């Protein structure tokens, strides 16, 4: 994951999707309950006769089960999106905190594009005036900051990639 992609991510669309999937989950739960109680249980209690009776009864049971399956899949998608959003927001907060701590030592983290970034030591000429003592930093601080940022970006990438993998696997399991 790119530094700026995580650092400046706006999660509004993801939050909206999570809310929408929450509504879908609740609606499918209601439909699954209605299908089980209204259709399937009624079909099981009915006094069926004739050649079509077993076919129709089996079809109603299968249809009621499909509502439950749809609810389960929607709930899984909702959980994945919600968990991933929480993780990414947490990584964003960690990243911004690390960058702020670096700034206090006059260390700047900058995105250089294509998934790379740089950490530089800064001593601004206007701050190097007589009587000003800049915060202490050395090459070890630069390396430590770089490693910490890399670790956060790695975890955010893992979270994003694993969510994509699971969601794609769910999509691949069904025709619709």
């Amino acid at each position: 994951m790119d530094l700026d992609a995580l650092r400046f991510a706006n999660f509004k669309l993801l939050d909206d999707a999570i809310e929408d999937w929450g509504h879908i989950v609740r609606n499918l739960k209601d439909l699954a309950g209605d299908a089980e109680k209204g259709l399937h249980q009624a079909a099981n209690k009915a006094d069926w006769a004739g050649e079509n009776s077993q076919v129709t009864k089996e079809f109603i049971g299968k249809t009621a089960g499909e509502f439950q399956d749809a609810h389960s899949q929607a709930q899984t998608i909702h959980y994945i999106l919600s968990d991933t959003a929480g993780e990414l927001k947490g990584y964003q907060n960690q990243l911004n905190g690390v960058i702020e701590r670096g700034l206090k030592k006059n260390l700047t983290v900058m995105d250089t594009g294509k998934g790379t970034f740089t950490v530089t030591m800064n001593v601004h000429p206007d701050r190097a005036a007589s009587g000003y003592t800049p915060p202490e930093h050395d090459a070890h601080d630069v390396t430590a900051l770089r490693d910490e940022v890399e670790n956060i970006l790695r975890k955010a990438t893992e979270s994003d990639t694993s969510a994509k993998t699971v969601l794609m696997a769910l999509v691949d399991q069904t025709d619709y």
Side-chain angles (χ1 to χ4, degrees):
M1 179 170 295
D2 290 347
L3 175 82
D4 282 352
L6 181 58
R7 185 176 182 191
F8 301 113
N10 179 348
F11 294 104
K12 170 132 179 45
L13 291 177
L14 185 54
D15 289 339
D16 290 347
I18 292 166
E19 185 177 336
D20 290 346
W21 276 101
H23 292 299
I24 291 169
V25 168
R26 286 187 293 280
N27 289 340
L28 283 172
K29 181 178 181 180
D30 292 343
L31 287 172
D34 291 347
E36 179 59 32
K37 291 175 189 159
L39 280 172
H40 193 218
Q41 288 180 3
N44 285 339
K45 292 177 184 175
D47 185 20
W48 294 89
E51 292 179 27
N52 197 26
S53 65
Q54 287 304 315
V55 173
T56 304
K57 187 176 179 180
E58 182 180 330
F59 175 77
I60 290 172
K62 186 176 180 181
T63 301
E66 287 177 0
F67 278 105
Q68 184 58 45
D69 290 345
H71 171 258
S72 295
Q73 286 184 355
Q75 192 170 39
T76 299
I77 291 168
H78 181 254
Y79 288 150
I80 292 166
L81 292 176
S82 182
D83 289 349
T84 302
E87 289 172 2
L88 291 176
K89 288 175 185 178
Y91 294 134
Q92 183 184 53
N93 288 335
Q94 288 176 25
L95 179 64
N96 288 328
V98 165
I99 290 171
E100 285 298 316
R101 284 196 318 272
L103 286 172
K104 290 178 182 175
K105 289 187 170 191
N106 276 348
L107 300 174
T108 300
V109 180
M110 291 181 14
D111 192 310
T112 54
K114 298 182 183 175
T116 61
F117 66 93
T118 185
V119 178
T120 57
M121 294 187 279
N122 302 315
V123 177
H124 301 287
D126 59 332
R127 293 187 187 156
S130 176
Y132 177 78
T133 306
E136 292 292 324
H137 59 260
D138 58 24
H140 173 71
D141 293 322
V142 172
T143 303
L145 181 60
R146 182 205 62 210
D147 291 349
E148 199 169 356
V149 170
E150 281 179 349
N151 188 41
I152 293 168
L153 293 176
R154 181 185 50 74
K155 289 179 191 176
T157 300
E158 287 174 6
S159 178
D160 187 49
T161 302
S162 66
K164 177 187 173 188
T165 301
V166 173
L167 290 171
M168 292 303 294
L170 287 172
V171 168
D172 290 344
Q173 288 179 4
T174 182
D175 294 332
Y176 301 103

